[in-house]
Amino acid sequence: MKISVFFDIYCPYHENKDPGQIPLGLMDNGVDSGVITVTKKELANYNPKFVLIQNERNEFYKDFWLKNDSDAIVTYHAQGKSNVPLIEKMKLGGKKVILKLDSDGKIAYPLQRHHHRVPLRERLTIPNLISDVFWRLPSKSLKRRKHAAVAAEITKQIELCSATIIESPEALSNLNYFLAAWGRSDLIKKTHFIPNPVTPEFVEGEISKKDNIAVTHGRWDDFTVKNTGVMVETVVEFLTQRQEYRFIIFGSGTDQVKKLLEVAPQNVRDRITIQGFVEHQNVKDILENAKLLFVPSRWESFSIASAEALCTGCSIVGTPAEALRYLSMQGFSGSIAATFDKEAILAALLQDSIKWDNGKYDPEKIASFWRPILDRKAVAKSIENLARAS
């Protein structure tokens, strides 16, 4: 069997994330695999270990799939108004199609959309004000009419596909609630939870001794999603109360982080190390001696950063996003804030550090629990089983 991944926006950095790790995991298991994507300049000198097929976008809506020798396609949502015509072409080409939603399941009514997690003062515009008022209206029929097109699109995609993957158990519950609310509970049998995989170096090697180090990394220039302002304020307050801890912050947008930290006390700033972009192969080196990873995001489809941290024996501290609640495993491997408020996030961070103080965490047990689950070979095997069964 040959199982290919279609991801139209694939770029080299995706190799360390699920679009690249899934085909590599399939190949580890002896399954023929590769990536199919839209032609782009970023891939000009890129030579991955898997076969990479590039073509112009419009070719995927012609007879491309009839000529392609894949038996099954794992497809992400393509950039465009509708994914249905693409999936129909794949099926006409004789392919089994597995839809990977890359989502927390909050697709449309009756589930509240992501942006409502952002305080209105941070997004105070007339359209957002109208959106908030509209959501608080008691009329279900108005909300259904507004979300009808999105609901029709997603339900049609799932109907066409052999199976649909979503990345956390609570995301699966959200998705199935959505389907039932729109009268398509018949599609629930097609939905499956499969987590995203980590790269092999995170599931190998011994667990190092843990120091009083906390780490947070991400796209800090994405203020809304990554919650940059609250991250900085929480880190400062945490270090004010926990004098023995240090924090390492890295990722994109760290110049803005530095500006936000200018008002912090000097004895706090002295215990914060800020780096910019860190090569993926060096992330494990940073996590190895850390006790916890801080993830203040307002939403995440999965959080590969958290998965990597768990595999190095760290705990995770995060907001009550669906994937983070799964990865914390009800306190076994992390602490989750009660709400998205700054005070709740700080409380979770302090709580987690106290759990380390009291010996409630065993880094080796955390790693040994998560490594077999997040190993790319295990994730790929689950996908292969879906492809063979559907």
Side-chain angles (χ1 to χ4, degrees), residues 284-343:
K284 186 182 178 185
D285 296 335
I286 294 174
L287 292 172
E288 279 184 337
N289 298 116
K291 284 183 175 177
L292 62 91
L293 178 79
F294 179 38
V295 189
S297 304
R298 285 176 169 134
W299 59 87
E300 292 277 356
S301 61
F302 183 69
S303 181
I304 196 65
S306 297
E308 292 168 347
L310 293 170
C311 289
T312 61
C314 296
S315 63
I316 62 165
V317 180
T319 55
E322 288 78 0
L324 299 180
R325 286 202 290 256
Y326 163 61
L327 293 168
S328 70
M329 197 53 68
Q330 295 181 309
F332 166 75
S333 51
S335 300
I336 297 301
T339 71
F340 290 89
D341 295 330
K342 181 179 68 176
E343 292 78 8

Side-chain angles (χ1 to χ4, degrees), residues 347-368:
L349 196 52
L350 291 167
Q351 172 184 306
D352 208 68
S353 65
I354 292 168
K355 287 172 72 173
W356 279 102
D357 294 345
N358 295 336
K360 300 297 184 182
Y361 287 132
D362 183 331
E364 291 190 4
K365 285 184 179 179
I366 292 173
S368 63

Side-chain angles (χ1 to χ4, degrees), residues 64-76:
F64 173 88
W65 303 105
L66 282 167
K67 299 174 183 177
N68 181 266
D69 63 350
S70 302
D71 299 293
I73 306 294
V74 177
T75 183
Y76 290 74

Side-chain angles (χ1 to χ4, degrees), residues 22-277:
I22 288 170
L24 288 169
L26 287 164
M27 291 168 64
D28 290 343
N29 294 340
V31 178
D32 192 4
S33 188
V35 170
I36 301 169
T37 190
V38 171
T39 303
K40 53 187 74 72
K41 62 182 181 180
E42 292 88 347
L43 299 172
N45 298 309
Y46 174 59
N47 297 297
K49 293 179 182 178
F50 49 75
V51 173
L52 179 69
I53 296 174
Q54 300 180 64
N55 217 323
E56 297 303 317
R57 186 178 298 276
N58 64 328
E59 294 300 316
F60 295 120
Y61 295 87
K62 297 179 181 178
D63 60 352
F64 173 88
W65 303 105
L66 282 167
K67 299 174 183 177
N68 181 266
D69 63 350
S70 302
D71 299 293
I73 306 294
V74 177
T75 183
Y76 290 74
H77 191 90
Q79 303 302 299
K81 291 184 178 179
S82 173
N83 215 32
V84 169
L86 178 65
I87 295 173
E88 288 176 334
K89 287 294 183 182
M90 291 176 178
K91 286 180 65 70
L92 285 172
K95 315 304 180 195
K96 292 181 178 180
V97 183
I98 298 173
L99 176 64
K100 194 170 190 309
L101 284 178
D102 190 28
S103 168
D104 60 10
K106 287 184 171 290
I107 294 165
Y109 175 83
L111 293 151
Q112 195 173 32
R113 302 306 296 275
H114 300 125
H115 66 270
H116 289 285
R117 291 177 175 175
V118 183
L120 188 58
R121 65 180 179 274
E122 293 184 28
R123 52 183 178 86
L124 193 54
T125 63
I126 291 175
N128 281 334
L129 187 60
I130 293 171
S131 174
D132 276 38
V133 171
F134 178 84
W135 186 258
R136 287 169 172 78
L137 290 175
S139 174
K140 293 181 180 180
S141 60
L142 281 176
K143 292 171 187 171
R144 288 184 71 87
R145 282 203 294 272
K146 183 177 180 180
H147 290 229
V150 173
E153 168 69 20
I154 297 299
T155 53
K156 184 62 176 179
Q157 289 182 38
I158 296 173
E159 181 183 287
L160 286 169
C161 292
S162 301
T164 296
I165 296 170
I166 203 161
E167 288 73 17
S168 73
E170 287 194 34
L172 180 64
S173 296
N174 287 344
L175 173 61
N176 290 338
Y177 174 30
F178 161 79
L179 291 172
W182 286 91
R184 295 308 308 268
S185 55
D186 59 303
L187 297 177
I188 291 175
K189 63 180 178 292
K190 289 188 173 187
T191 62
H192 305 267
F193 152 60
I194 298 179
N196 283 347
V198 300
T199 54
E201 65 266 28
F202 287 94
V203 298
E204 299 167 350
E206 296 182 358
I207 301 303
S208 302
K209 178 182 176 295
K210 296 297 185 179
D211 298 322
N212 289 331
I213 300 171
V215 176
T216 188
H217 64 100
R219 304 185 312 274
W220 302 119
D221 40 5
D222 191 347
F223 265 64
T224 300
V225 178
K226 298 305 178 182
N227 211 2
T228 309
V230 167
M231 180 276 287
V232 171
E233 291 174 10
T234 307
V235 166
V236 170
E237 183 59 33
F238 173 78
L239 291 177
T240 300
Q241 296 192 41
R242 296 302 309 254
Q243 300 276 331
E244 72 279 27
Y245 263 83
R246 293 186 292 124
F247 237 103
I248 299 173
I249 303 171
F250 64 93
S252 61
T254 49
D255 286 344
Q256 297 174 68
V257 173
K258 289 176 182 177
K259 289 181 181 178
L260 291 172
L261 282 168
E262 287 176 355
V263 297
Q266 187 63 48
N267 70 333
V268 167
R269 282 183 284 152
D270 289 344
R271 287 179 285 126
I272 299 176
T273 300
I274 299 179
Q275 302 178 41
F277 173 75

